[in-house]
Amino acid sequence: MSIKKLGRFVVFAVILSVLFVMGGCGKKADDGKVKVGVAVASFDDLFLINMVDAMKAHAKETYADELEVVFVDSKDDAAKQLGQVENFITQGMDAVVIIPVDTDATGPMTKACIDNEVKVVYVNRKPGDLPEGSYYVGSDEISAGVMQMEYVAEKLNGEGNIVILVGKLDNEGARKRTEGVKSIADKFPGINVIKEQTGLWQRAMGMQIMENWIASGDKIDAVMANNDEMAIGAISAIEASGKLGEIIVAGVDATADALSVMDAGKLDVTIFQDGKGQGSGAINAAYNAVKGNPQDQFNWIPFKPVTPENYKEFMK
């Protein structure tokens, strides 16, 4: 090889070395971020989407370049969600945040994360089993049903027929909220639960079920819905039947749509579920778990009753 060619080879090798070092530095800087994968039960759920927005905003405002967050839609499919969590682990995520499709099917996801030393945080929907090394951020679901029924029982003066629109039956929140309603209703001999059906958290289902209940001819004094979407659907059916104002309607979540319906005088009570607090709390829990910062395994975000007397405090 000539001296000239040798010189060119050396220069080329030096350039490659510099580029390699620069690329390596960039990778190292990227690896310095805490990487979090978030598996969301369904992007079709308005409350969950609001929570996702809160997660994104909190991650950006609080952690800036320290945190990288990726979101996926599980499309209400528990098997799909398990696959997504497994993908997050393969991709080298430091933590996984899960809003579970089915709270009874979380075991394999939790085990996969713990076995691979990936931190796992559940939010909004509490699994039945939460072993050491996993975390939960959410609200005490039974208290939402209790708050609903306490308000409605007072409005009914302790007497009346109530119906319950239940969320998805595989969801801990639906079961606990319904349990809370019944625990208070049972204290009043004059209050009877005459109908109960799942509306799958959906507005359209809430309307369809309520239409059928009204068509049955049974006297209904109050509707206890596990969430605002089903409550709003029920109100549409009640209004169409000309019974608006005759039937008390209660929801849960205090979504923007629900507060607008309350502002119009059609919704009697809802229970504020702090989706923003849950979302930001989940991001904090994931970050702290990865960093080894001390924190409680359970982070409880309280529910709050929202009525025509105080709803404006919750409007944004």
Side-chain angles (χ1 to χ4, degrees):
M1 181 182 290
S2 68
I3 298 295
K4 187 174 182 180
K5 287 183 177 179
L6 180 61
R8 288 176 179 172
F9 177 81
V10 170
V11 170
F12 182 69
V14 169
I15 291 172
L16 281 178
S17 298
V18 171
L19 290 174
F20 179 79
V21 170
M22 289 176 66
C25 288
K27 188 174 187 300
K28 184 177 181 181
D30 183 58
D31 283 349
K33 291 183 178 181
V34 172
K35 297 179 179 63
V36 179
V38 183
V40 182
S42 173
F43 280 4
D44 291 332
D45 188 308
L46 178 62
F47 181 82
L48 297 186
I49 287 302
N50 290 337
M51 185 186 298
V52 165
D53 290 341
M55 288 184 187
K56 291 177 180 177
H58 185 69
K60 182 178 180 181
E61 294 167 5
T62 304
Y63 298 102
D65 296 331
E66 294 183 74
L67 198 63
E68 179 181 319
V69 188
V70 177
F71 297 86
V72 293
D73 180 4
S74 300
K75 298 186 181 298
D76 268 330
D77 184 330
K80 182 181 184 68
Q81 188 166 62
L82 173 59
Q84 291 169 333
V85 170
E86 291 172 339
N87 286 339
F88 281 149
I89 293 170
T90 301
Q91 292 163 11
M93 294 294 177
D94 299 300
V96 176
V97 173
I98 305 170
I99 304 174
V101 172
D102 182 351
T103 49
D104 290 332
T106 56
M109 294 188 290
T110 305
K111 186 177 187 302
C113 289
I114 291 176
D115 287 352
N116 288 278
E117 298 183 347
V118 175
K119 306 301 181 183
V120 58
V121 178
Y122 288 97
V123 59
N124 184 254
R125 301 174 178 179
K126 181 177 170 293
D129 181 33
L130 205 67
E132 185 178 351
S134 54
Y135 300 88
Y136 178 70
V137 179
S139 303
D140 183 10
E141 298 290 356
I142 197 168
S143 66
V146 167
M147 290 177 183
Q148 274 186 318
M149 194 64 239
E150 285 178 340
Y151 182 87
V152 171
E154 183 177 347
K155 290 295 180 182
L156 291 174
N157 293 317
E159 293 187 359
N161 293 335
I162 69 170
V163 294
I164 305 176
L165 284 167
V166 185
K168 291 186 68 180
L169 298 178
D170 60 9
N171 187 276
E172 187 255 2
R175 296 194 297 267
K176 289 295 184 180
R177 291 176 191 181
T178 301
E179 181 183 338
V181 167
K182 291 180 177 179
S183 70
I184 300 302
D186 288 345
K187 295 180 180 181
F188 295 87
I191 292 179
N192 303 299
V193 179
I194 62 168
K195 296 178 186 293
E196 178 180 338
Q197 188 172 335
T198 176
L200 303 175
W201 301 118
Q202 297 173 13
R203 187 180 300 194
M205 285 288 289
M207 181 173 69
Q208 179 183 330
I209 292 168
M210 193 65 206
E211 286 172 344
N212 293 337
W213 285 346
I214 291 171
S216 73
D218 292 329
K219 185 177 186 299
I220 299 172
D221 298 296
V223 180
M224 314 301 296
N226 281 173
N227 76 338
D228 286 336
E229 285 296 285
M230 293 187 296
I232 292 170
I235 288 169
S236 296
I238 291 168
E239 188 168 18
S241 71
K243 294 181 178 294
L244 192 64
E246 298 176 22
I247 302 174
I248 296 170
V249 181
V252 179
D253 288 336
T255 62
D257 284 358
L259 295 176
S260 294
V261 174
M262 184 173 285
D263 188 51
K266 300 176 183 179
L267 178 64
D268 295 276
V269 62
T270 183
I271 308 300
F272 175 65
Q273 181 176 201
D274 190 354
K276 182 177 180 180
Q278 291 184 13
S280 59
I283 294 297
N284 289 341
Y287 180 86
N288 289 330
V290 173
K291 291 294 186 179
N293 299 331
Q295 63 177 336
D296 293 332
Q297 184 180 20
F298 296 90
N299 183 0
W300 297 107
I301 310 295
F303 283 109
K304 299 176 183 176
V306 181
T307 68
E309 289 72 39
N310 70 349
Y311 74 94
K312 290 185 178 179
E313 298 172 18
F314 296 85
M315 297 186 82
K316 299 177 182 179

